[in-house]
Amino acid sequence: MRRLPDATPRGRAITVDLEGESIPAVEGEPVACSLIAAGENVLSRSVKYHRPRGPFCFAAACSHCLMRVDGLPNVYTCRTPAKEGMRLERQNAYPSANVDIFATIDWFFPKRFDHHEMFAGVPIAEDVMAKVARQLAGLGLLPKEPGPEALPSRTIQIRVAVVGGGAAGLEAARVFAGKGVPFMLFERDANLGGRLAHGAPEDGAPFVPEPTAFPQGSVVRRATVIGLYDDEHGRYLAVASQEPEGLRLLKVYAERFLLTVGGHPPTLPFENNDLPGVFAGRAASLLLRRHDVAPEVAALVGHGPELHALAHLLAQRGVEIAAVVDLKGPLPANAHPKACVGDGLKAHGLRGVGALSFTPQGGRKQKVSCDAIIVSVPVTPGFELARQGGAKVEFDASAGHFRVDADADGRTQAADVFVAGDVAKVGTAKDAAAMGQRAAQALLGGLS
């Protein structure tokens, strides 16, 4: 990965401290983005086998980018804005993540390492092994200093609470604003739009409105919803809101909740799929469209329309495409010239991706050099919040994942919880917007 030579300035040039070394960064962009743009691909080591880890999803849905930031352990650097002088330390390695002596565990136990059974039943050795295993497998170290004082929580009461500012949530917000219904939309990112703003372009996708297009105070950004709970006053969202003064807990009581949280970027089961340099498809498009960071040579694997749209997007920005391996097919008419239907994937490299091997359908195994492997497959619905609110979750055998059970209008088993977008049914951004509109209209029909 590198910052593209034609990149437009997107913030003030600063430096951050990575274990005593000054690294160039851009103020406000995710610190993990600045690190990989500067050639720092290894951000930590895995918990058990101490394999090198680099960022994968850029959505705080995996643990590959966790670092110690200004003394605080286990920080998602893919969502943490870079600041001048920020202190960064890699975790779970000794003496360093670049040269970790505990990586030898992976060599000594090439098949598996079950520390629960090792020396089990052997006096003294059993206790020693358990203690050693706990020391080796810990995620980070406790802070040396107490954290900042928490801001007092704030209680809010509103008619409708919307979680997620992507295609579905924004379309629902338009409906509520047009009807004059008081609502609040919470988006964890600093920008609205989700994949509309940073995903691979889609035909017919709706536009992304500015926050000022909605009633004042109805759109709250940099606000992560962490739970849906009940107490003696009713049902509320627990929201961690990043305000200028610091992090504040919001208790948001509402009559109806519309969840449009989208989904998580899954990976694919192939050998060495955890190497630094393997990225989710939407992570790659975000890095390119929002931060002008991209690989020099990329190999794309997966299936679905976003795979081929992303290949064209990367090629248009000067990225050399080594291969596009569609695991399901058939290839669309506008597929990249190096696209094929294939399988038998394997990533090659020691501390990062250096090549991809695969077998084209009806052909022989091939190996192509690349500095990034991009895994683009349909997202897995983020059903957790809906399930916490009482909605029924079921397994969709045709898609191979769990999703929220809802009717065409987004109604769930919980009378006050509605869903729309990928959390209910994975599809295009246009599909998500249409679901958001239907769910908003259905929700209004049940308001007091």
Side-chain angles (χ1 to χ4, degrees):
M1 285 283 186
R2 88 290 192 207
R3 206 173 297 277
L4 296 176
D6 62 346
T8 56
R10 296 178 182 263
R12 185 169 67 96
I14 60 172
T15 60
V16 296
D17 181 279
L18 176 61
E19 298 173 341
E21 181 181 357
S22 292
I23 303 295
V26 175
E27 188 175 40
E29 79 174 5
V31 66
C33 175
S34 293
L35 292 177
I36 61 174
E40 297 291 344
N41 298 320
V42 179
L43 304 191
S44 66
R45 290 276 175 165
S46 66
V47 173
K48 189 171 184 179
Y49 292 101
H50 287 252
R51 293 169 179 159
R53 286 286 184 265
F56 169 74
C57 69
F58 275 85
C62 70
S63 59
H64 289 194
C65 70
L66 294 179
M67 299 183 74
R68 192 180 186 91
V69 178
D70 289 335
L72 185 65
N74 301 326
V75 175
Y76 284 106
T77 55
C78 71
R79 311 291 288 186
T80 303
K83 298 178 182 179
E84 179 68 57
M86 177 180 280
R87 294 179 293 109
L88 306 170
E89 299 170 78
R90 300 180 177 97
Q91 298 184 152
N92 205 41
Y94 181 83
S96 72
N98 288 326
V99 182
D100 184 1
I101 62 173
F102 295 119
T104 54
I105 295 172
D106 205 8
W107 298 345
F108 287 133
F109 302 94
K111 293 185 178 180
R112 72 185 185 102
F113 171 45
D114 188 351
H115 62 273
H116 298 287
E117 297 181 1
M118 183 169 287
F119 299 117
V122 180
I124 301 177
E126 180 181 32
D127 296 334
V128 172
M129 186 60 208
K131 184 176 181 180
V132 169
R134 285 195 296 269
Q135 292 293 325
L136 292 178
L139 266 180
L141 300 174
L142 291 174
K144 297 178 181 178
E145 301 174 356
E149 285 284 334
L151 297 176
S153 63
R154 180 181 298 140
T155 299
I156 299 171
Q157 293 187 345
I158 196 73
R159 299 291 299 281
V160 180
V162 183
V163 183
L170 290 174
E171 190 60 36
R174 289 191 185 100
V175 173
F176 298 140
K179 297 289 186 180
V181 175
F183 74 95
M184 291 186 74
L185 182 151
F186 299 95
E187 166 56 45
R188 67 175 183 171
D189 204 350
N191 302 284
L192 296 177
R195 60 173 154 165
L196 296 176
H198 59 248
E202 296 181 21
D203 293 334
F207 72 95
V208 181
E210 294 293 329
T212 53
F214 301 105
Q216 185 176 5
S218 62
V219 175
V220 184
R221 293 168 290 168
R222 298 192 68 189
T224 301
V225 175
I226 57 178
L228 180 54
Y229 303 103
D230 295 273
D231 65 9
E232 66 274 17
H233 302 296
R235 178 167 286 194
Y236 67 93
L237 291 173
V239 184
S241 177
Q242 186 64 56
E243 301 181 357
E245 302 83 11
L247 198 63
R248 186 189 302 275
L249 175 67
L250 305 180
K251 293 182 69 176
V252 184
Y253 293 89
E255 292 183 47
R256 294 289 183 271
F257 301 89
L258 176 56
L259 310 182
T260 62
V261 295
H264 309 302
T267 187
L268 290 170
F270 59 90
E271 190 172 350
N272 292 330
N273 68 348
D274 59 349
L275 276 175
V278 177
F279 296 93
R282 291 192 182 180
S285 61
L286 180 148
L287 289 169
L288 177 61
R289 293 186 64 182
R290 185 171 291 175
H291 306 294
D292 290 321
V293 172
E296 293 188 17
V297 184
L300 290 84
V301 300
H303 58 87
E306 289 188 37
L307 170 69
H308 301 280
L310 181 56
H312 288 295
L313 175 66
L314 291 166
Q316 289 168 4
R317 292 299 304 273
V319 177
E320 181 183 342
I321 305 299
V324 181
V325 185
D326 192 317
L327 301 178
K328 291 189 175 181
L331 298 180
N334 65 339
H336 189 274
K338 292 189 178 180
C340 69
V341 178
D343 56 16
L345 305 176
K346 179 180 178 180
H348 299 269
L350 293 177
R351 296 181 63 254
V353 167
L356 170 75
S357 59
F358 61 95
T359 303
Q361 193 174 70
R364 295 183 176 181
K365 196 173 190 68
Q366 297 183 16
K367 185 177 181 181
V368 295
S369 297
C370 58
D371 64 322
I373 297 173
I374 299 173
V375 179
S376 180
V377 293
V379 296
T380 299
F383 60 81
E384 296 85 356
L385 189 63
R387 182 173 64 178
Q388 186 182 15
K392 180 183 177 182
V393 173
E394 62 180 9
F395 183 72
D396 186 341
S398 61
H401 57 225
F402 288 91
R403 65 177 181 83
V404 179
D405 182 20
D407 66 13
D409 293 330
R411 296 183 182 87
T412 72
Q413 185 170 286
D416 58 349
V417 176
F418 289 69
V419 294
D422 285 345
V423 67
K425 185 178 181 181
V426 176
T428 66
K430 186 177 181 180
D431 296 334
M435 282 191 279
Q437 184 182 64
R438 291 197 305 271
Q441 292 169 344
L443 181 153
L444 290 175
L447 281 178
S448 60

